[in-house]
């Protein structure tokens, strides 16, 4: 893997007027997830985490590691934001962020990614507006089958007439 130190994400939530979120989870669900959410009403990005239950994400107390690169709410009902952060934010015990490790090796599990969105002005319960997927983020330079995140995303976007990808 080349010398990569940051992750950049682009999130598009269809038919959402209030907020959108993406998270990284060890289990593939909300419990224990490391999340970042964007609220359109304030144009703010919030680095957050979820404790050991189904609850509203809590703002990271130790540091806000995500940077908002761009954001937009479209006339046809999309919230779109781009953000970045370091892959490794801390080695300290108790830090709320998940370090995003190189998963190009066959012995390292793919990353579990979750997302949610809603129309309220502040983040709240998402009802059915939730997605999850397990995907490999890093490419093994010796293989063309690894690092499938972008290819899978592009194929999903190309396959849907409305341009809205549904992660499954």
């Amino acid at each position: 893997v080349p010398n990569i130190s940051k992750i950049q994400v682009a999130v598009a939530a269809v038919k959402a007027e209030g907020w959108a979120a993406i998270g990284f989870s060890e289990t593939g669900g909300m419990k224990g997830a490391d999340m970042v959410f964007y609220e359109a009403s304030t144009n703010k990005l919030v680095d957050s985490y979820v404790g050991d239950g189904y609850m509203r994400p809590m703002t990271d107390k130790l540091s806000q590691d995500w940077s908002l690169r761009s954001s937009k709410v479209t006339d046809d009902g999309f919230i779109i934001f781009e953000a970045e952060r370091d892959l490794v934010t801390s080695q300290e015990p108790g830090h709320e962020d998940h370090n995003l490790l190189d998963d190009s090796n066959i012995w390292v599990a793919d990353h579990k990614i979750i997302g949610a969105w809603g129309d309220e002005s502040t983040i709240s319960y998402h009802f059915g507006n939730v997605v999850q997927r397990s995907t490999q983020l890093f490419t093994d330079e010796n293989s063309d089958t690894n690092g499938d995140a972008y290819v899978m995303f592009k194929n999903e976007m190309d396959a849907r007439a409305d341009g809205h990808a549904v992660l499954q």
Side-chain angles (χ1 to χ4, degrees):
V1 173
N3 188 15
I4 298 170
S5 64
K6 293 190 178 289
I7 184 170
Q8 294 180 347
V9 298
V11 176
V14 69
K15 303 301 177 198
E17 298 175 0
W19 58 272
I22 187 171
F24 300 91
S25 169
E26 292 178 1
T27 63
M30 193 168 170
K31 290 181 183 179
D34 174 17
M35 300 185 73
V36 62
F37 64 88
Y38 171 79
E39 292 178 336
S41 64
T42 61
N43 195 37
K44 298 277 186 204
L45 196 65
V46 180
D47 191 357
S48 60
Y49 68 99
V50 178
D52 226 7
Y54 296 105
M55 60 187 70
R56 183 183 195 278
M58 297 174 282
T59 301
D60 283 4
K61 296 179 187 100
L62 299 177
S63 62
Q64 289 290 297
D65 298 303
W66 285 94
S67 299
L68 184 62
R69 296 176 54 87
S70 68
S71 62
K72 182 177 186 176
V73 179
T74 66
D75 293 337
D76 58 348
F78 283 83
I79 291 177
I80 302 168
F81 74 87
E82 294 180 70
E84 75 174 7
R85 70 155 236 215
D86 289 340
L87 293 170
V88 176
T89 58
S90 179
Q91 299 293 337
E92 298 295 318
H95 200 274
E96 299 102 348
D97 290 329
H98 291 250
N99 291 325
L100 301 175
L101 305 176
D102 180 356
D103 61 356
S104 64
N105 186 298
I106 193 169
W107 304 111
V108 178
D110 291 350
H111 290 277
K112 294 173 180 67
I113 301 172
I114 60 173
W117 61 94
D119 290 326
E120 297 77 15
S121 61
T122 59
I123 193 169
S124 59
Y125 183 65
H126 50 69
F127 297 96
N129 299 334
V130 61
V131 294
Q132 64 186 80
R133 175 169 228 138
S134 180
T135 193
Q136 187 175 3
L137 297 178
F138 292 84
T139 301
D140 179 347
E141 59 193 41
N142 298 319
S143 172
D144 60 359
T145 60
N146 292 338
D148 60 355
Y150 175 74
V151 172
M152 287 173 34
F153 174 78
K154 186 170 180 343
N155 289 343
E156 186 73 31
M157 291 297 279
D158 290 345
R160 293 185 52 92
D162 65 359
H164 172 83
V166 177
L167 302 177
Q168 298 181 15

